Amino acid sequence: MAAAVALAPGALGPLQAGRARLVAVCSARLGPGLRLPGSLAGRQVGRAIWAQGWAPAATGPAPKRGYSSEAKTEDELRVRHLEEENRGADLKERAKMNSSEVGPFVSKIRAVINDIANLPVPTIAAIDGLALGGGLELALACDIRVAASSAKMGLVETKLAIIPGGGGTQRLPRAIGMSLAKELIFSARVLDGQEAKGVGLVSHVLEQNQEGDAAYRKALDLAREFLPQGPVAMRVAKLAINQGMEVDLVTGLAIEEACYAQIIPTKDRLEGLLAFKEKRPPRYKGE
């Protein structure tokens, strides 16, 4: 993941995107040969990944990102941490770009966000501050979004005479409907957490706490709910939902059937049935 972000330093939005974090949950380690897609390939994932500070600002030096890993054993929670150490995405620097540089630059942004969308595990975006432009596009690439009531979010690119280039024109309509998405993009309107909950942009909204991480704490609570579930089932369920939503119902049901067939021969399925019979917590291995 660190390598993917390094492809486009400071490129996650033309305006300040504030404190937006990503929590990615994997109920167990990925099995042999199962790796993340695209430029994330080659870095196996443990039980959880989280990233904070995906938050370029309108001014300041280019962001510096660090990567650290914390793990005890293969069967315990792992956390891999990506953090922006300072603020980036200088609009004055953008203005100096040649026209020929803009397309490749935006393509890198889109590739990073697509890599997040294609993670094979559940992802939760926690918005505790500002998520404008690319910051919101990153959040839209996640499966679930939670926000503090004081958070601000919007696709504001039309104010700069450009359009969202990191998937916003495609993911926002899929999240809240075409008509309302057009209204928000055409007006460059900024919503607070309550307004975002009202239009279905976020699933949960919370009053901000003194630490300024209410949404992040809620995201961790959700992650803890997801972690005990069967890891193969979680990955396949996400695949079935994502692919099914892009087709008609009949085709979607066929996709579900094909995905279910992948679960039948797994050891986890048998373990789940045995655990239910013995009235004990299941011991899933992701197999």
Side-chain angles (χ1 to χ4, degrees):
M1 185 180 283
V5 176
L7 291 174
L12 295 179
L15 299 180
Q16 185 176 4
R19 295 182 59 186
R21 307 188 191 191
L22 166 71
V23 178
V25 183
C26 183
S27 299
R29 64 186 183 277
L30 295 180
L34 293 177
R35 295 179 182 273
L36 300 181
S39 57
L40 300 181
R43 190 182 302 282
Q44 291 217 0
V45 181
R47 284 179 172 246
I49 307 169
W50 66 278
Q52 74 172 10
W54 296 62
T59 60
K64 297 178 181 178
R65 293 180 174 84
Y67 177 85
S68 63
S69 178
E70 179 182 328
K72 294 181 180 179
T73 70
E74 287 292 337
D75 295 323
E76 291 182 299
L77 179 68
R78 288 186 176 186
V79 175
R80 287 189 170 92
H81 173 207
L82 259 174
E83 180 175 359
E84 251 188 55
E85 297 174 357
N86 55 25
R87 307 168 85 182
D90 191 341
L91 285 177
K92 293 181 180 178
E93 182 182 12
R94 298 275 184 95
K96 296 177 182 178
M97 281 188 178
N98 295 325
S99 297
S100 60
E101 297 176 302
V102 175
F105 183 80
V106 175
S107 293
K108 290 179 180 180
I109 300 173
R110 191 179 301 110
V112 171
I113 295 176
N114 284 343
D115 280 338
I116 298 300
N118 290 329
L119 281 169
V121 295
T123 54
I124 308 165
I127 305 171
D128 276 306
L130 299 175
L132 304 176
L136 181 54
E137 288 181 302
L138 175 64
L140 285 166
C142 295
D143 300 311
I144 299 165
R145 289 166 293 282
V146 298
S149 57
S150 58
K152 304 292 183 183
M153 62 204 82
L155 296 180
V156 296
E157 286 86 349
T158 54
K159 283 188 176 180
L160 302 175
I162 58 176
I163 68 170
T169 64
Q170 303 305 304
R171 292 192 175 98
L172 186 62
R174 285 167 167 79
I176 66 173
M178 183 184 298
S179 180
L180 188 53
K182 287 179 177 178
E183 180 180 331
L184 295 182
I185 292 173
F186 295 166
S187 64
R189 187 180 305 159
V190 175
L191 306 179
D192 63 25
Q194 291 289 355
E195 291 170 328
K197 176 68 165 59
V199 300
L201 181 54
V202 301
S203 301
H204 302 274
V205 61
L206 307 99
E207 292 298 319
Q208 188 57 281
N209 57 29
Q210 291 184 347
E211 291 77 18
D213 64 353
Y216 179 58
R217 289 177 184 270
K218 177 62 177 179
L220 290 182
D221 288 341
L222 291 172
R224 293 185 185 102
E225 286 189 61
F226 299 164
L227 282 170
Q229 317 313 327
V232 176
M234 294 288 279
R235 294 196 295 272
V236 176
K238 177 172 178 175
L239 179 66
I241 295 169
N242 285 353
Q243 292 193 356
M245 288 302 294
E246 300 299 322
V247 298
D248 61 87
L249 179 59
V250 173
T251 306
L253 291 172
I255 290 172
E256 179 184 88
E257 182 179 7
C259 287
Y260 198 101
Q262 296 183 42
I263 300 297
I264 294 173
T266 64
K267 295 179 181 179
D268 278 358
R269 185 183 71 88
L270 298 177
E271 166 61 17
L273 293 172
L274 183 62
F276 179 80
K277 180 180 179 181
E278 297 178 353
K279 299 181 180 179
R280 60 169 174 81
R283 295 185 289 269
Y284 295 124
K285 297 182 180 180
E287 300 173 351

